[in-house]
Amino acid sequence: MPWREVSVMEQRREFVRLAMQEGMNKRELCRRFGIHPDTGYKWLSRWQADKGLGDRSRRPHTSPRRTANELEGRIIAVRDAHPA
């Protein structure tokens, strides 16, 4: 009998489905799924907020120390004028 392949999303949905059941020990469920409790509670809060269970980008929303667009354009112009 072949092993059943399960995607990451299916595992997350199964975790959330089981965790939402009345009287379920969430920490024991996390141990069973091999995840940290913080991760399990994060998935539950995302599911309850209808934000999905997919992976999210770790890219920051803002970059406060980023060079201003005007200065960046001038630097690129100088670099293009003097490629060596």
Side-chain angles (χ1 to χ4, degrees):
M1 180 167 133
W3 292 97
R4 180 175 163 239
E5 292 186 24
V6 181
S7 72
V8 173
M9 289 303 293
E10 288 176 13
Q11 286 180 336
R12 291 178 184 178
R13 284 188 202 106
E14 179 69 11
F15 172 83
V16 169
R17 185 185 68 76
L18 291 172
M20 298 294 279
Q21 291 179 358
E22 188 68 31
M24 180 59 71
N25 185 336
K26 292 175 182 66
R27 292 214 175 227
E28 179 59 39
L29 193 59
C30 289
R31 278 188 219 101
R32 197 167 89 192
F33 276 79
I35 60 173
H36 195 274
D38 291 346
T39 304
Y41 284 106
K42 176 179 66 174
W43 290 348
L44 282 171
S45 65
R46 283 186 188 173
W47 181 262
Q48 291 167 347
D50 290 330
K51 294 188 179 181
L53 296 172
D55 291 331
R56 295 185 178 176
S57 173
R58 294 182 180 194
R59 181 177 181 220
H61 295 288
T62 61
S63 182
R65 296 184 59 176
R66 183 175 181 195
T67 305
N69 289 336
E70 178 185 321
L71 180 58
E72 184 179 336
R74 290 174 36 199
I75 292 170
I76 291 173
V78 170
R79 188 172 45 186
D80 289 344
H82 305 283

